[in-house]
Amino acid sequence: MYSEKVMDHFKNPRNVGEIENASGVGTVGNAKCGDIMRIFLDIDESGIIQDVKFKTFGCGAAVATSSMATELVKGKTVQEALQVTNKAVMEALDGLPPVKVHCSLLAEEAIHAALWDYAEKNGIKIAGLEKPKNDISEEEEEEDY
Ligand code: FES
């Protein structure tokens, strides 16, 4: 039921770990399933994401989506990273089963939370970035599954 790419990123997740003195750190959870994801971004002066690491306490799909999301934002500008939606992450993984779609939302939201933290630390505004939620399960209830 999982694609080969999902299994690969689950078994060999890329960019696991932490970044000390990160430019931005975002932590997002889902109270319903209890999964938590934390993303660390190292952003240079020209706004390029030089390094990214993650720690995920969660299901296999959450690990695979965080791994893929970190790969997709590495080397990108802040604006480009904002375009890495959960759909983009899912496509890059060749899809996820419907019950696991929320896991990819966790990855999108954790990146947004880390970007938000970076913007706050630097007193800047990132166009198009809204204040992220700490718990995405609230959002899910509003959606139809
Ligand atoms: Fe909740 Fe995967 S089951 S993040």
Side-chain angles (χ1 to χ4, degrees), residues 79-136:
Q79 277 302 327
E80 286 166 343
L82 211 51
Q83 311 304 318
V84 177
T85 59
N86 77 306
K87 285 204 180 74
V89 173
M90 281 198 294
E91 269 168 30
L93 285 169
D94 294 337
L96 279 173
V99 293
K100 290 291 174 180
V101 170
H102 79 271
C103 317
S104 66
L105 270 176
L106 211 51
E108 175 186 317
E109 204 63 11
I111 287 176
H112 287 183
L115 289 171
W116 183 266
D117 182 43
Y118 159 75
E120 286 220 307
K121 279 182 182 153
N122 290 279
I124 53 171
K125 254 197 165 307
I126 300 176
L129 179 63
E130 285 172 23
K131 193 173 191 328
K133 301 186 176 66
N134 293 325
D135 174 9
I136 62 158

Side-chain angles (χ1 to χ4, degrees), residues 16-141:
V16 176
E18 294 181 27
I19 296 176
E20 259 183 62
N21 303 318
S23 317
V25 183
T27 308
V28 178
N30 180 325
K32 268 201 215 146
C33 63
D35 290 0
I36 298 167
M37 198 180 285
R38 179 169 294 164
I39 299 242
F40 303 78
L41 295 174
D42 178 18
I43 302 173
D44 72 11
E45 277 159 22
S46 29
I48 312 258
I49 299 171
Q50 292 294 344
D51 199 11
V52 45
K53 297 265 188 256
F54 80 89
K55 280 201 150 173
T56 291
F57 178 78
C59 72
V63 172
T65 53
S66 10
S67 169
M68 182 53 93
T70 55
E71 287 285 273
L72 292 177
V73 300
K74 206 186 230 177
K76 301 270 169 71
T77 65
V78 164
Q79 277 302 327
E80 286 166 343
L82 211 51
Q83 311 304 318
V84 177
T85 59
N86 77 306
K87 285 204 180 74
V89 173
M90 281 198 294
E91 269 168 30
L93 285 169
D94 294 337
L96 279 173
V99 293
K100 290 291 174 180
V101 170
H102 79 271
C103 317
S104 66
L105 270 176
L106 211 51
E108 175 186 317
E109 204 63 11
I111 287 176
H112 287 183
L115 289 171
W116 183 266
D117 182 43
Y118 159 75
E120 286 220 307
K121 279 182 182 153
N122 290 279
I124 53 171
K125 254 197 165 307
I126 300 176
L129 179 63
E130 285 172 23
K131 193 173 191 328
K133 301 186 176 66
N134 293 325
D135 174 9
I136 62 158
S137 66
E138 300 159 15
E139 185 176 322
E140 245 178 83
E141 278 161 18

